[in-house]
Amino acid sequence: MKVSTSQMFLSTSSQLAKQSGRINELQAKISTGEKLLSPSEEPQRAALINQLESTASQISTYQKNLDKVDGRLSIEEAILTSVDNIMGRIRDLSLAAASGTYSSGDKAIVVQEMRGLRDELLSLANSQDSGSNYIFAGTKVTTTPYQENAAGEVTYFGDSSSAVVSTGPNSNVKLNRPGTEVFSKVTDGGVDYNFFDVIDGMADALMGTAKQETVSNSYATSATALNSGSAFNLNVSVGKTSPTNTTINVTTDTPEGVVTAINASSTGLKAKLAKEDPGSDVVRVYIEGPGGEEGIFTISSTPNMGFSNNDRIQKGIGRVSDSKNRATDALVGIGVSMSVVNEKKDVNEERDLAIKKLISSEKDLDYALAVTELSSEIIALEALQSSFAKISQMSLFDYLR
Amino acid sequence: MADILSVGTSAVNVYRQALTTVSNNIANMNTEGYSRQEAISTQNLPTEQGQSFIGTGSSLKRITRSYDQFLEGNLRQSNSELSSQTPLINYSQRIVDIMGDSQSGLAGALDKFFSDAEVLSTDPASGGLRTTFLASSESLVSRIRSISQSLSDVVRDVNGETETVVNAINEKASQLAFLNGQMASNPSKLSQNPALMDSRDLLLHELSGLVKIKVTENSAGLVDVELAGAGAAGTIVNGIKSRDIGVQTYAEATKKSLVSADPAGDSVPLPAIQGGELGGLISLRNAALMETVEDFDLFVEGFANEINKIHSGSMDKKNQSGAQLFATAPVVELVSSDMRAESPATAIVTDVKNTVPSLDVTWYAQDKKFLVQDGIADKWFDSATATGIGKIKTNGLEIDITKTLSNRQKITLSVLSRPAETIKVGIANGDEIAAADRLRVIVDTANNGDSKAAITYDPERADVALPGFDLGSLVTGSKVLNNLVTTDNIKPWSYLTAGSTGSSVVLDVPVGNTTRIDLITKDGVHLLGKQPTNTSLWLTGNSFFNEGVSYSSTYLNKTGSNAFLDLDVTFGFSQAKSSMLSASSPNEFTSASVNAYTNSTASSVDWIANGALSLNGISLNALTVPNSGPTATTSANTLATWLNAQSGATGVTATAVTEINVTKKQANFGQGLTINGTTINNANTATTLSQLADRIGAMSATTGVDAYLGLDDNIVLTNTAGNEGKNIAIGSTSVPNTLGVTDATYSGKLKLSAASNIKFQVNEVAGTLGYLSELSKLGISGGVYIDGVVPEDLAVLVTDTTASNVNIEARVASKAPDSELNPQPEDPIKLDFLAGGLVTITDTKTDTVVRKQTFDPLKPIIYKGVDIRFDNAPLVGDSFVVESNLDAPGDNGGIRRIALLQTQPIFLGSRNAGDAYTDIVNDMGAKGFVAEISQQALEVVYTQAVEAESAASGVTLDKEAADLVRYQQSFQAAAQVIQVSTRLFDSIIQATR
């Protein structure tokens, strides 16, 4: 086919331009080390890289979360180790002081140490993190969780919620443990005691000023009739030196009626229904004295409700031991959580590695391939140039001399 | 010899011209559009000598252009197709580079946003992390806006390029028309000036690159050009005339560019433009680009909505429900009817709710007024100035006219939703980030079980729908509904929507009728009516009850603090004192004519039982009707006396009046009349109402009835003083009576007056709610009245012992916003687990059990958008309180749900936010990719066409060199002929010397 001269020059120059463009592009890729100079070159691959990078960013966020949880657990572990030690010391002191070889002066010294340890425990329970947020307040992190009233009773003001943080797709861990979980209450005879109740009770028992605890026989439900449905009286005598005798009339003949009647009386006694077993309805009437040396009381009734007094020191030791065990349990729980977190960290690191490898395979240039390609393109360009140089010299005019 | 010489000379001439042509070819070798020319020679006519013909040499026939019409057409065609791909490729690459880049695109910013949400969830109380999250939200929206801006820039550039191309097309068309004019004088294509033809072909070629054209060449070589696919309307060159095309472009991407012919005259739209740069640009602009902008807007809107839904359903650090984290606003676009001038106005949205999609503003210069047409009504606005410059506020817009308008100039304003352009962060500081859950569950410390509850709150969670007419819809319409209803003891007739205020459903029933109205909630709580004998018929026969709920009559017909959510429901009649009345004006009500009951038994009868009715909360004593004497028949008079006996307690006083009104037209003059059994003397001789009144008046002492003339040519019969409200018996001496009314006993009306409200209540008697017809005895139509806000949807049943038809008038005055409903999500509700697998939900504020339902441990409990799930089934006696999550800055429920959104399929086709965004970029990338493939294929076709064309018309130096040699040699040979002829001539001269 006939090719016009100007067409021949035009097409060659456009081929030359294309070829040098290709070389230029390859060179730019080699200099940046990336497969794509701009997303428009290969939009699908660019999208894939974006998606992979998004996954990588998620993994790194999960890793950050795990670090954060790990840090948090370390702090809690440190605090709970102290708590555990304190409770151990208190248990040892209680056992020693209860042995009978201690004089009242010795007991006073022990009690002083116990009270010091209790205050230490309170400040540990109200620990704050670097952001001045309370660690054991559940999600109410700006509320002081354990507050002591004028009577020295400590009440929990946090909530029982835990925040949960993501540590992977469809996987999460608890960030915090609320006070209700760490300083959990011990239940004795259907009545709940928190750590501070337990320690205060033990100290008071050693000093002989603990509130008297009296419990009745057990009854099938809180509505069981005690006196065939008829009203009856309770005879109460309160005080050590000059006891005050009071007759309390129980109008509703049920354990609940007894509790209501005692609480409504002016004796200063506090009564409640204690469930022995959480699963059943069996109850006892539990009565607490006013406290102090003069707070001891006697109570009797017809029908006989079988009131008997708890041995405060023995009960106290039992509760202290329970509390110490709770503290240990909490500490063990933290340890378990930490190992779970570490495991998750390992898993995440592996995933991170895998994703980074994938990203690199999609994103990074294969130098060997690129350089080979570059040389072949250069050779092609040189061939094009030299062939064009030769062909362009071929003109009939050269022979018309 | 002369022959030889002339032959030689003619040949020299021919070859000289041929050589000139070759030279010209060489000279124009690189001239664009030049077609190779060739000299065509022809032999001269031979002369006849004897029987032989002797040649006389050659001459130049013509110089031809090497030209192939088919190849030219082919070239134009492929050029059009090739050029149409370029805009899509270029701009799609630009868009992909903007949106797909990890730096300038959204993918990185989205990752950062979600990552910072995740990090904030690890310490939601931290001010620093809150600020970081807010900053990444800011950077996300600024990225969105910058992408939106870049897309707008692309739109602007495409618009600009389109306009440039259109101008170029118009220019080329006018040049073609000019060339046609130059060639017009020459009748034949063959004899046309080749330079003109070359120019023409070049122009056509260039034009084909701009837009696909159809070329028609006539015999003289003049061309007509029309835009391909547009038909005759798309003619741009017709002989020596050209016709302009124009394009209307919009900065708003969602409005298509529109090409039209003759834009300055009778504008004709040309929607089917194809090929060439213009075709490519239009298809890019109106399809690919528009879709991308729309998709991006949809993406931003969907994303913002999802985030906002979570955020506004969460609690911020200040114990407030979250605001909108991402706020978007509509934008206004203005188009002036004077397209050439700059926009004469600007407009902003001041009130989104009141805007309409489109609005026309027309300026009437003589009246100095604007006409605003919003598609609903025409409104006139006076201008503050003579030129129209100033501001107009209408339809939620503030329009600022900045330039003088011409008379009847119209500005069209469109309110467009452009979330991507206007998105911004809706909160100002970190404490307003709603990181905590809005609600929390408190587990009762006395619970025996250890189950924990998780809740989610979504106010838009779907609810079961009630059947029947939506009375709440009356608010937006007539506010009153009159309907003849057939009673149904199982299916509701209608329902009162939550929020309905000032509602009433009133029945028009006669005395003795047994119709009632029942109200029941979707949770089976019966508020009003009579407990059905078989409650399960309701629950099983109706699908509107929530799943598993039980019937409850706890709040049936209760009032005050015993009522359901303390809602004040009146079953009877209620007229609250209008707030328009002054403190001293009494609240008054006039009944219809009372029912006249005659005790025909042997003993007295308690016509209205003791306590059957209450008035203003006071139970009314029995209305005892004796069996003899003047009060054996009830009248307005006796009823008023009965009511007044208790007015001290009720605060309502009653007066009675009986009136019979007769017009002159009604009267039968000449007939007789008896009143209360007494014949009126001479009634039959009265010929005027005045005479009739006189004759009735004359006997008033006996009848207890007097008459007076009314203002409208009428006569009014009424009781004399002391007899007010007593029944009036009208009779005749021979039917009809002179008054023209039916012979009957006419009863009077009660006029009630109170300092404040008048409220009759139909009470329960012996544990069963009475009938509304009890009030009909007083001439009052009773019904259900709820003055306050209906707290939740209530089914309205119209029931009767046997099915009957009854006229109903229902009214709803207004509708309260959700924020006034009771209980609010933040109001604590208590869940109590009972024996038998039941659970009750109690509104603790009013101590109302709003629902009792069976509990399925596998299913959540859903109440008013709150979804409560338990990790294990609670034990009997366990209780849980759902309340506002106050003072819990350490809670991360809200922010965690935002963080989890990253991987959730919130977009159509189960795509998460990142995928949905990537798809927009990929769509554009794919379109560009397809265009690129087509371009490569079309380039091959085009190259072939170019080569074929150049083979036909191009100049090849080798050929020219060969021609040069050929013609040179021929020339030299011809010169030799001349020389031979000269020599021959010389020989002859010498021979003769």
Side-chain angles (χ1 to χ4, degrees):
Chain A
M1 196 177 96
K2 188 183 124 185
V3 176
S4 77
T5 311
S6 63
Q7 175 66 22
M8 193 185 82
F9 276 89
L10 274 176
S11 68
T12 313
S13 70
S14 90
Q15 274 162 16
L16 276 171
K18 253 188 217 164
Q19 190 63 24
S20 39
R22 229 175 273 162
I23 288 167
N24 205 16
E25 196 185 300
L26 264 176
Q27 206 240 334
K29 281 184 185 175
I30 287 169
S31 71
T32 56
E34 288 187 6
K35 268 185 191 163
L36 298 183
L37 291 174
S38 65
S40 61
E41 228 174 286
E42 235 184 298
Q44 311 297 332
R45 186 193 292 273
L48 180 62
I49 293 172
N50 274 344
Q51 271 169 342
L52 289 172
E53 279 179 343
S54 166
T55 310
S57 129
Q58 279 176 41
I59 292 173
S60 99
T61 308
Y62 292 145
Q63 205 66 357
K64 271 187 221 157
N65 283 1
L66 282 168
D67 288 343
K68 193 104 183 186
V69 173
D70 203 16
R72 173 89 189 196
L73 283 168
S74 305
I75 296 171
E76 289 185 12
E77 188 190 29
I79 296 169
L80 288 183
T81 308
S82 306
V83 169
D84 193 40
N85 290 341
I86 288 173
M87 288 314 293
R89 174 72 186 149
I90 288 176
R91 185 184 59 187
D92 294 349
L93 287 173
S94 310
L95 285 171
S99 67
T101 55
Y102 275 48
S103 69
S104 60
D106 294 340
K107 283 183 183 168
I109 293 168
V110 166
V111 165
Q112 205 174 351
E113 185 179 348
M114 277 170 88
R115 294 207 193 278
L117 289 170
R118 171 210 183 266
D119 291 346
E120 176 65 23
L121 195 64
L122 183 60
S123 86
L124 284 174
N126 285 335
S127 299
Q128 283 166 294
D129 65 11
S130 55
S132 304
N133 293 318
Y134 291 100
I135 292 176
F136 297 114
T139 60
K140 291 186 162 182
V141 294
T142 47
T143 312
T144 311
Y146 288 93
Q147 296 179 22
E148 194 170 359
N149 66 9
E153 286 164 357
V154 176
T155 315
Y156 181 61
F157 281 89
D159 59 21
S160 57
S161 313
S162 296
V164 168
V165 299
S166 303
T167 53
N170 307 318
S171 115
N172 47 52
V173 294
K174 254 202 259 182
L175 175 66
N176 67 308
R177 277 134 294 272
T180 47
E181 205 175 307
V182 175
F183 303 96
S184 58
K185 288 178 174 177
V186 296
T187 309
D188 186 11
V191 181
D192 292 340
Y193 303 91
N194 71 26
F195 275 41
F196 306 97
D197 297 338
V198 167
I199 299 168
D200 287 341
M202 186 68 224
D204 288 346
L206 287 175
M207 294 306 289
T209 57
K211 290 173 183 170
Q212 181 182 326
E213 290 172 13
T214 301
V215 289
S216 73
N217 289 339
S218 63
Y219 299 97
T221 70
S222 59
T224 307
L226 312 174
N227 193 28
S228 314
S230 314
F232 63 96
N233 287 341
L234 294 169
N235 298 312
V236 178
S237 161
V238 182
K240 189 179 179 188
T241 44
S242 49
T244 314
N245 295 320
T246 315
T247 302
I248 301 171
N249 185 249
V250 180
T251 49
T252 312
D253 175 30
T254 60
E256 196 161 5
V258 172
V259 168
T260 314
I262 293 172
N263 285 336
S265 73
S266 55
T267 53
L269 301 187
K270 279 181 194 160
K272 53 182 157 188
L273 285 175
K275 269 190 186 175
E276 235 161 86
D277 175 15
S280 83
D281 291 336
V282 176
V283 291
R284 288 173 195 269
V285 176
Y286 168 93
I287 308 166
E288 210 173 64
E293 277 186 55
E294 291 297 324
I296 60 168
F297 65 93
T298 59
I299 183 163
S300 63
S301 66
T302 313
N304 187 2
M305 290 181 69
F307 286 112
S308 64
N309 294 344
N310 284 340
D311 179 338
R312 290 293 282 110
I313 289 186
Q314 285 313 313
K315 282 276 179 193
I317 288 173
R319 290 169 197 164
V320 165
S321 300
D322 278 355
S323 295
K324 148 75 183 155
N325 290 342
R326 292 296 164 91
T328 311
D329 287 350
L331 189 56
V332 169
I334 298 268
V336 169
S337 299
M338 284 178 102
S339 81
V340 167
V341 164
N342 280 328
E343 235 167 70
K344 290 193 175 197
K345 268 185 173 176
D346 290 348
V347 171
N348 258 347
E349 262 159 29
E350 272 170 37
R351 284 190 61 216
D352 191 39
L353 207 66
I355 283 284
K356 291 217 167 113
K357 221 163 132 188
L358 261 177
I359 293 176
S360 161
S361 76
E362 292 296 335
K363 195 177 173 184
D364 295 341
L365 189 70
D366 184 339
Y367 276 103
L369 211 66
V371 170
T372 318
E373 208 179 321
L374 181 65
S375 358
S376 95
E377 296 288 0
I378 288 173
I379 289 167
L381 179 63
E382 281 170 357
L384 186 62
Q385 286 167 342
S386 76
S387 65
F388 177 63
K390 286 222 169 82
I391 292 164
S392 63
Q393 279 166 13
M394 277 171 45
S395 172
L396 196 53
F397 282 104
D398 288 342
Y399 302 96
L400 298 179
R401 296 260 156 76
Chain B
M1 257 99 59
D3 287 336
I4 299 172
L5 182 61
S6 65
V7 168
T9 319
S10 74
V12 165
N13 263 331
V14 168
Y15 293 121
R16 184 180 44 77
Q17 280 161 332
L19 279 170
T20 311
T21 308
V22 172
S23 315
N24 189 48
N25 283 343
I26 293 170
N28 284 301
M29 190 182 85
N30 290 316
T31 304
E32 204 187 357
Y34 177 77
S35 298
R36 184 171 177 275
Q37 293 172 8
E38 213 165 335
I40 308 289
S41 58
T42 182
Q43 62 173 330
N44 292 339
L45 275 181
T47 54
E48 193 177 2
Q49 287 186 359
Q51 288 192 333
S52 311
F53 291 91
I54 294 173
T56 58
S58 67
S59 62
L60 185 72
K61 191 183 176 194
R62 60 169 181 274
I63 294 178
T64 60
R65 284 170 73 230
S66 302
Y67 166 80
D68 185 323
Q69 196 176 342
F70 170 73
L71 289 178
E72 275 295 334
N74 209 10
L75 180 62
R76 281 199 297 268
Q77 174 95 4
S78 54
N79 189 21
S80 291
E81 274 160 20
L82 179 62
S83 333
S84 73
Q85 303 299 325
T86 324
L88 184 53
I89 294 170
N90 290 347
Y91 284 107
S92 74
Q93 282 180 352
R94 185 165 146 193
I95 290 169
V96 169
D97 285 346
I98 293 164
M99 295 181 77
D101 190 80
S102 54
Q103 298 304 313
S104 68
L106 208 56
L110 274 175
D111 286 346
K112 180 93 173 69
F113 171 79
F114 284 121
S115 167
D116 283 345
E118 196 74 77
V119 170
L120 177 56
S121 82
T122 63
D123 192 357
S126 155
L129 292 183
R130 279 173 179 266
T131 311
T132 311
F133 176 68
L134 198 58
S136 71
S137 306
E138 288 282 3
S139 96
L140 178 65
V141 299
S142 83
R143 192 72 64 84
I144 289 173
R145 283 207 308 267
S146 105
I147 290 173
S148 170
Q149 183 57 49
S150 299
L151 288 174
S152 297
D153 288 349
V154 171
V155 170
R156 189 197 58 211
D157 292 354
V158 170
N159 287 348
E161 200 174 331
T162 312
E163 280 156 20
T164 311
V165 168
V166 164
N167 288 342
I169 291 170
N170 289 337
E171 195 187 321
K172 305 239 180 278
S174 76
Q175 283 173 4
L176 274 170
F178 177 75
L179 280 179
N180 276 346
Q182 297 280 302
M183 304 197 301
S185 55
N186 204 326
S188 161
K189 192 154 93 174
L190 290 175
S191 55
Q192 288 293 3
N193 182 339
L196 289 181
M197 296 286 270
D198 281 344
S199 301
R200 185 202 70 180
D201 287 342
L202 182 62
L203 274 174
L204 286 173
H205 179 72
E206 285 168 353
L207 193 55
S208 73
L210 297 175
V211 64
K212 192 167 181 181
I213 48 174
K214 191 178 146 201
V215 179
T216 321
E217 189 178 27
N218 69 10
S219 57
L222 272 63
V223 287
D224 288 346
V225 181
E226 60 185 51
L227 303 179
T235 304
I236 54 170
V237 179
N238 186 6
I240 58 165
K241 275 190 255 168
S242 70
R243 187 151 162 261
D244 275 358
I245 59 168
V247 64
Q248 173 69 55
T249 57
Y250 299 93
E252 176 54 47
T254 52
K255 284 190 170 174
K256 294 182 174 182
S257 292
L258 186 69
V259 179
S260 57
D262 201 7
D266 304 328
S267 178
V268 184
L270 300 172
I273 293 294
Q274 35 174 277
E277 246 185 278
L278 183 60
L281 283 166
I282 294 291
S283 92
L284 165 75
R285 173 67 181 75
N286 292 354
L289 187 52
M290 197 169 100
E291 276 165 26
T292 303
V293 172
E294 281 176 345
D295 287 352
F296 187 57
D297 267 335
L298 279 177
F299 164 77
V300 172
E301 195 175 14
F303 176 75
N305 282 348
E306 287 294 330
I307 298 282
N308 284 341
K309 210 160 79 183
I310 294 175
H311 195 258
S312 54
S314 305
M315 186 77 83
D316 71 10
K317 214 176 173 180
K318 300 169 169 173
N319 287 335
Q320 304 280 324
S321 283
Q324 302 245 301
L325 185 58
F326 295 123
T328 58
V331 293
V332 188
E333 199 189 60
L334 297 97
V335 177
S336 167
S337 59
D338 182 3
M339 274 165 33
R340 286 153 298 183
E342 260 183 274
S343 178
T346 59
I348 50 167
V349 177
T350 52
D351 179 8
V352 180
K353 280 182 198 153
N354 284 330
T355 54
V356 288
S358 179
L359 191 74
D360 284 341
V361 178
T362 315
W363 169 240
Y364 287 83
Q366 281 146 348
D367 306 331
K368 292 181 193 136
K369 275 182 174 164
F370 289 101
L371 171 64
V372 175
Q373 293 165 299
D374 58 9
I376 301 158
D378 290 0
K379 285 174 273 187
W380 290 92
F381 287 85
D382 289 325
S383 169
T385 60
T387 54
I389 290 176
K391 286 182 181 175
I392 315 168
K393 285 183 185 173
T394 178
N395 294 69
L397 298 175
E398 188 181 288
I399 307 159
D400 190 4
I401 311 285
T402 49
K403 292 199 170 61
T404 306
L405 301 175
S406 55
N407 188 29
R408 301 230 172 183
Q409 187 172 345
K410 185 158 87 177
I411 305 168
T412 302
L413 296 98
S414 310
V415 180
L416 306 157
S417 165
R418 286 300 315 276
E421 194 178 312
T422 56
I423 190 165
K424 60 179 185 198
V425 173
I427 58 173
N429 68 59
D431 285 354
E432 288 173 28
I433 295 170
D437 276 326
R438 182 152 156 193
L439 303 175
R440 68 175 160 224
V441 187
I442 303 290
V443 181
D444 195 313
T445 48
N447 279 4
N448 289 326
D450 60 348
S451 56
K452 283 183 184 152
I455 48 168
T456 51
Y457 174 61
D458 178 1
E460 285 160 26
R461 191 164 270 144
D463 203 356
V464 289
L466 282 161
F469 183 79
D470 174 10
L471 293 176
S473 69
L474 291 175
V475 171
T476 48
S478 55
K479 302 198 192 252
V480 56
L481 171 79
N482 285 295
N483 215 339
L484 182 69
V485 173
T486 305
T487 61
D488 190 323
N489 292 351
I490 293 177
K491 295 265 180 274
W493 160 65
S494 66
Y495 62 95
L496 271 168
T497 333
S500 299
T501 310
S503 324
S504 64
V505 177
V506 176
L507 304 187
D508 181 15
V509 287
V511 171
N513 180 286
T514 51
T515 311
R516 284 196 190 89
I517 294 174
D518 284 72
L519 296 180
I520 188 158
T521 71
K522 288 194 254 194
D523 291 325
V525 179
H526 200 175
L527 268 58
L528 181 76
K530 186 191 169 207
Q531 180 167 352
T533 40
N534 186 358
T535 53
S536 64
L537 259 185
W538 265 4
L539 298 173
T540 53
N542 285 311
S543 59
F544 65 82
F545 288 106
N546 282 310
E547 206 185 325
V549 299
S550 331
Y551 172 83
S552 159
S553 61
T554 313
Y555 304 98
L556 185 60
N557 307 325
K558 294 287 191 295
T559 54
S561 63
N562 292 327
F564 178 76
L565 295 172
D566 298 354
L567 180 67
D568 187 10
V569 178
T570 305
F571 184 65
F573 170 81
S574 171
Q575 179 175 293
K577 186 174 176 182
S578 165
S579 57
M580 317 255 274
L581 291 175
S582 67
S584 57
S585 308
N587 182 18
E588 288 180 328
F589 171 75
T590 304
S591 75
S593 294
V594 303
N595 174 253
Y597 160 74
T598 306
N599 183 2
S600 47
T601 66
S603 56
S604 63
V605 164
D606 280 354
W607 177 229
I608 295 175
N610 184 19
L613 293 177
S614 295
L615 178 52
N616 286 347
I618 305 298
S619 174
L620 294 175
N621 298 329
L623 175 68
T624 308
V625 182
N627 62 341
S628 64
T631 55
T633 299
T634 58
S635 68
N637 182 289
T638 55
L639 288 168
T641 312
W642 172 64
L643 286 172
N644 285 334
Q646 301 173 78
S647 67
T650 62
V652 179
T653 54
T655 52
V657 60
T658 311
E659 282 180 346
I660 301 168
N661 197 333
V662 173
T663 60
K664 190 178 175 185
K665 232 177 169 181
Q666 272 177 291
N668 295 313
F669 293 119
Q671 290 295 111
L673 177 69
T674 69
I675 294 177
N676 290 339
T678 307
T679 305
I680 303 298
N681 294 334
N682 301 324
N684 56 345
T685 61
T687 53
T688 63
L689 289 179
S690 163
Q691 285 173 357
L692 194 55
D694 287 348
R695 283 163 204 185
I696 292 169
M699 299 193 71
S700 64
T702 318
T703 59
V705 175
D706 203 349
Y708 60 89
L709 286 174
L711 293 171
D712 300 327
D713 216 2
N714 60 339
I715 181 173
V716 180
L717 278 68
T718 186
N719 312 107
T720 55
N723 294 315
E724 291 94 344
K726 284 185 179 163
N727 298 334
I728 301 175
I730 300 291
S732 50
T733 47
S734 65
V735 180
N737 58 52
T738 182
L739 292 173
V741 299
T742 317
D743 288 355
T745 299
Y746 291 85
S747 65
K749 295 173 176 176
L750 283 170
K751 280 189 178 165
L752 304 177
S753 173
S756 65
N757 301 341
I758 301 173
K759 186 164 145 183
F760 282 100
Q761 188 95 25
V762 176
N763 292 332
E764 285 187 347
V765 176
T768 304
L769 187 66
Y771 299 117
L772 283 171
S773 57
E774 212 60 9
L775 280 170
S776 307
K777 294 172 180 172
L778 306 181
I780 296 172
S781 291
V784 171
Y785 293 79
I786 303 175
D787 291 336
V789 180
V790 172
E792 55 183 87
D793 292 355
L794 295 176
V796 180
L797 286 90
V798 183
T799 60
D800 200 350
T801 44
T802 50
S804 63
N805 289 327
V806 61
N807 272 308
I808 290 190
E809 184 178 287
R811 287 172 193 273
V812 176
S814 60
K815 199 159 178 189
D818 287 353
S819 59
E820 285 178 23
L821 295 184
N822 256 328
Q824 283 288 298
E826 275 81 7
D827 292 336
I829 55 166
K830 190 160 170 252
L831 275 69
D832 289 295
F833 287 83
L834 313 176
L838 293 172
V839 59
T840 56
I841 301 176
T842 310
D843 171 48
T844 56
K845 207 166 80 178
T846 58
D847 197 21
T848 301
V849 178
V850 291
R851 183 196 289 177
K852 185 175 187 179
Q853 69 165 85
T854 51
F855 174 65
D856 180 348
L858 299 175
K859 285 183 186 164
I861 294 172
I862 297 174
Y863 176 71
K864 289 199 171 180
V866 181
D867 173 308
I868 310 154
R869 286 157 203 263
F870 297 91
D871 55 353
N872 52 50
L875 300 179
V876 172
D878 285 2
S879 64
F880 301 83
V881 173
V882 177
E883 59 168 30
S884 191
N885 191 15
L886 300 175
D887 299 319
D891 186 27
N892 65 2
I895 195 70
R896 209 166 157 260
R897 273 182 290 140
I898 289 181
L900 287 175
L901 214 55
Q902 181 173 22
T903 51
Q904 272 166 18
I906 51 174
F907 287 95
L908 224 71
S910 329
R911 297 171 304 164
N912 63 34
D915 291 345
Y917 176 74
T918 307
D919 279 355
I920 300 174
V921 186
N922 277 352
D923 272 358
M924 198 35 139
K927 280 174 190 147
F929 184 68
V930 169
E932 224 165 322
I933 300 276
S934 322
Q935 191 192 35
Q936 282 164 13
L938 291 168
E939 209 157 55
V940 174
V941 176
Y942 178 70
T943 311
Q944 276 172 356
V946 168
E947 280 169 358
E949 194 270 346
S950 106
S953 310
V955 177
T956 311
L957 277 185
D958 285 348
K959 181 166 172 51
E960 301 308 324
D963 280 355
L964 204 58
V965 174
R966 177 157 68 101
Y967 290 132
Q968 191 187 355
Q969 285 177 357
S970 302
F971 183 86
Q972 282 167 351
Q976 283 296 326
V977 171
I978 293 173
Q979 202 171 11
V980 167
S981 123
T982 313
R983 280 202 199 122
L984 284 180
F985 184 68
D986 282 350
S987 303
I988 290 167
I989 294 288
Q990 276 169 7
T992 55
R993 204 177 275 168

